Amino acid sequence: MDETLLKQALEFGRPYAEKGKVAHYIPELSKADWHDLGISVHTIDGRQLRYGLHDRRFTIQSISKIINLAIALEHFGFDAVFHKAKMEPSGAAFNSMSRISDSEDIPFNPLVNSGAIAIVDLLLPMGLEAMLSSARNLCADNEITLNEDVFQSEWTNSARNHSLAYLLKSKGVITQDVEEVLKLYTQLCSLNVNADNLASLGLLLANGGVHPVTGRRFLEEEVVRTVVTIMLTCGMYDGSGEFAVRVGLPSKSGVGGGILSVVPGALGIGVYGPSLDEKGNSIAGQRILEYISRTEKLHIMDRFIRHPDSAAQA
Ligand code: GLU
């Protein structure tokens, strides 16, 4: 893999951007330029490849749910986490209220808004500073900060998430102060990152939680296995099934335009393209990842295929 491939992938994805729209339901996000595209790839042998707006800052939005899930698993363990949310794809929109409103159940998974808010109920005692510091560590960037404008914009337009959170409180899933839980959830969605940061986090996940160059362990193996499995099944919301077929890489999107993808044992990939499809996933970003996955044969199910150039057929 080299930067020429990243350029080709980006140019392949570019025409799709005009078919989507930047997020509007958080007014501050509507200021993003829909043309913007960037990609960053960090390899297990220590190379950092990039093309386009790889260092353009945008808010992490739902990709924070990966960090939250990993930290919650590390600190509180598997049972406590999956007492708050199941591990099933919901097949519903990211902010859907369906299926939790009419049953006694907990949210479908930690990557839809309802499940993510429930996970932040666990994280609340840690507070913003500790979570920000975890995000900086996992993304290898001390300059990650809270984007106050995006936070305020979402906070004053968060009737939907408030409804979800109060519903969860009424069911006893949220045990702490609802406003405080939702405030921390929204702040964690409002961290300014770039595609390089997502590639760094992706590389840690690709390498079982250990930084491949320094050898430092950031996450336990069991945590990584759980997180990447949920990314594969639930990371692209109600587009997760199609994305798994087309791209075949554990990934997580955010309405800020980022997608983080993991190539097991090999690569962390961060893509930025704020023009979104109707499901809230970067429209060009998905095509860029599909191009790279196909060209480099990275689909995790490719092991079921005998490639013409594979050793087994030689
Ligand atoms: N902060 C956003 C929300 O709660 C995140 C949604 C997303 O990125 O999909 O609606």
Side-chain angles (χ1 to χ4, degrees):
M1 168 155 332
D2 58 17
E3 282 174 353
T4 309
L5 174 77
L6 302 192
K7 178 170 190 280
Q8 287 164 354
L10 207 111
E11 297 315 329
F12 172 80
R14 194 180 293 285
Y16 291 93
E18 68 180 296
K19 299 182 202 294
K21 287 194 180 73
V22 299
H24 279 82
Y25 77 101
I26 301 173
E28 196 65 20
L29 295 186
S30 67
K31 295 181 180 167
D33 185 339
W34 65 266
H35 297 92
D36 284 357
L37 281 181
I39 181 163
S40 183
V41 176
H42 290 188
T43 73
I44 204 150
D45 57 2
R47 289 180 303 142
Q48 300 190 351
L49 311 171
R50 43 191 66 123
Y51 187 73
L53 301 172
H54 63 92
D55 56 0
R56 171 68 48 92
R57 295 276 170 182
F58 56 92
T59 49
I60 189 167
Q61 297 299 333
S62 277
I63 304 169
S64 61
K65 295 169 183 171
I66 295 302
I67 297 175
N68 300 349
L69 174 60
I71 299 300
L73 284 165
E74 289 273 333
H75 282 80
F76 305 103
F78 194 90
D79 291 347
V81 165
F82 293 107
H83 187 68
K84 292 285 186 190
K86 294 184 284 187
M87 41 187 121
E88 297 301 335
S90 71
F94 68 90
N95 56 2
S96 175
M97 301 194 67
S98 69
R99 325 261 283 277
I100 49 167
S101 54
D102 52 7
S103 79
E104 291 306 310
D105 238 343
I106 56 176
F108 262 78
N109 65 70
L111 302 187
V112 287
N113 284 12
S114 53
I117 294 166
I119 299 297
V120 173
D121 187 59
L122 282 175
L123 299 171
L124 188 65
M126 299 177 70
L128 176 62
E129 279 314 309
M131 288 303 297
L132 179 57
S133 150
S134 295
R136 287 173 172 164
N137 272 334
L138 294 173
C139 295
D141 183 356
N142 281 331
E143 295 188 359
I144 293 175
T145 51
L146 175 67
N147 184 325
E148 271 294 338
D149 292 340
V150 171
F151 165 66
Q152 288 301 341
S153 180
E154 180 166 0
W155 186 242
T156 48
N157 290 277
S158 61
R160 180 86 180 186
N161 282 341
H162 270 86
S163 313
L164 286 169
Y166 277 100
L167 183 59
L168 293 173
K169 179 79 174 177
S170 76
K171 289 171 176 287
V173 178
I174 287 184
T175 54
Q176 317 227 32
D177 183 82
V178 177
E179 295 296 318
E180 290 302 313
V181 170
L182 201 53
K183 186 171 171 201
L184 180 59
Y185 163 85
T186 310
Q187 286 170 323
L188 295 174
C189 286
S190 306
L191 302 185
N192 264 330
V193 294
N194 57 33
D196 295 328
N197 298 157
L198 301 184
S200 291
L201 174 53
L203 184 64
L204 282 184
L205 296 172
N207 197 42
V210 173
H211 192 281
V213 176
T214 64
R216 177 174 166 204
R217 175 168 293 284
F218 286 81
L219 297 170
E220 292 304 319
E221 284 176 0
E222 286 289 329
V223 168
V224 172
R225 191 198 353 222
T226 303
V227 170
V228 294
T229 305
I230 293 180
M231 287 168 73
L232 184 67
T233 52
C234 312
M236 305 295 284
Y237 297 122
D238 42 336
S240 297
E242 182 171 346
F243 188 84
V245 170
R246 290 184 182 278
V247 181
L249 297 174
S251 299
K252 182 72 202 89
S253 60
V255 294
I259 305 179
L260 177 161
S261 288
V262 179
V263 182
L267 310 172
I269 306 177
V271 181
Y272 172 55
S275 178
L276 309 178
D277 67 11
E278 69 290 348
K279 293 175 174 164
N281 298 320
S282 171
I283 192 162
Q286 293 174 88
R287 295 295 174 162
I288 291 168
L289 289 162
E290 186 176 352
Y291 184 96
I292 292 175
S293 176
R294 280 195 166 268
T295 311
E296 297 289 298
K297 301 187 176 84
L298 301 176
H299 195 298
I300 60 170
M301 300 302 175
D302 272 358
R303 64 191 59 191
F304 288 99
I305 299 171
R306 292 182 174 206
H307 289 299
D309 53 354
S310 74
Q313 295 217 334

